[in-house]
Amino acid sequence: MSRGAWGGGAGGRWGGGGGGARGGRPWWAEAMGEPPPRAERGGVRYLVLEAIAEQPRHGYEIIQHIEQRAGGSYRPSPGVIYPTLQMLEELQHARVVEQEGKKVYAITDAGKTELETNRQSVDEFYARFTEDQPWESYAQDFAELMKRVGQLMSTFRKGAHRGRMSPATMRAIRLALDEALRKIDDVLNGPQR
């Protein structure tokens, strides 16, 4: 699978992640500019197939199933689900059946095969929302990091007020920040080779 089909970025194939307060997101996610977690266009169909493999469902029930499995952190919109259902029907991975007077979608044998081929992707997506340790358990560590970011900004402000931000000083600071950013990126993502 190509990385582009799944949405590269910091969160891997499926975008952002986390768990915590409203919608299962950590309290700091929005403040840090982290987008809400979402499944990328190519991956939603596997989530839908997984939802209808369990039992036939209509669109709203599929949305609810995905949201529940994601612990409230991801809720696909009807504008994503209904076109996906139409595509799955065209691919003959799902079919419309009537159940209690409602139009519901059921998985076909071809859909079951497609789902099993991509089961790992579905499991990886939902695993992001079931961390063993909730974010609250490391909130103090995060607060300490943010305290240091605040101290960095305070240091810049004090230096600027004292007239110490010459071009040479700013170049030296930029080099120090670049080095710090490389080290932080290595901690978060592994050393770049």
Side-chain angles (χ1 to χ4, degrees):
M1 252 155 263
S2 75
R3 183 179 164 123
W6 295 97
R13 289 182 173 171
W14 301 94
R22 165 71 177 100
R25 295 178 69 206
W27 59 269
W28 46 265
E30 190 172 334
M32 296 299 291
E34 180 180 306
R38 64 187 177 112
E40 296 299 326
R41 193 171 296 201
V44 173
R45 69 174 147 176
Y46 306 125
L47 302 180
V48 171
L49 286 172
E50 188 269 341
I52 64 175
E54 190 176 298
Q55 69 183 50
R57 301 176 194 266
H58 58 76
Y60 183 68
E61 290 173 325
I62 293 168
I63 292 169
Q64 288 179 310
H65 173 84
I66 293 170
E67 181 180 30
Q68 182 180 22
R69 289 257 353 246
S73 293
Y74 172 65
R75 178 183 176 89
S77 71
V80 169
I81 293 299
Y82 289 103
T84 301
L85 285 167
Q86 183 177 0
M87 177 191 67
L88 290 171
E89 195 176 0
E90 290 169 4
L91 293 170
Q92 298 180 352
H93 292 166
R95 69 179 186 285
V96 177
V97 296
E98 190 148 328
Q99 193 175 63
E100 298 175 15
K102 293 182 181 178
K103 175 180 161 181
V104 295
Y105 291 85
I107 195 166
T108 63
D109 289 338
K112 289 177 186 175
T113 301
E114 182 72 6
L115 176 59
E116 286 313 308
T117 301
N118 293 282
R119 172 59 66 183
Q120 182 177 352
S121 296
V122 173
D123 294 344
E124 287 173 1
F125 177 77
Y126 288 124
R128 293 182 341 168
F129 305 106
T130 58
E131 293 180 357
D132 293 336
Q133 200 173 27
W135 69 269
E136 291 94 341
S137 66
Y138 52 87
Q140 185 62 39
D141 292 333
F142 185 79
E144 288 297 321
L145 286 175
M146 291 299 97
K147 182 178 176 182
R148 276 147 184 100
V149 170
Q151 289 170 337
L152 177 65
M153 297 307 296
S154 178
T155 300
F156 282 130
R157 192 172 39 256
K158 288 175 186 174
H161 285 293
R162 293 179 185 150
R164 296 188 177 154
M165 298 297 272
S166 69
T169 301
M170 287 189 281
R171 277 192 298 276
I173 291 170
R174 189 172 53 244
L175 290 173
L177 286 174
D178 288 346
E179 179 62 23
L181 287 170
R182 272 192 296 280
K183 288 179 179 180
I184 292 167
D185 190 54
D186 286 350
V187 169
L188 293 173
N189 303 309
Q192 301 296 316
R193 305 270 176 213

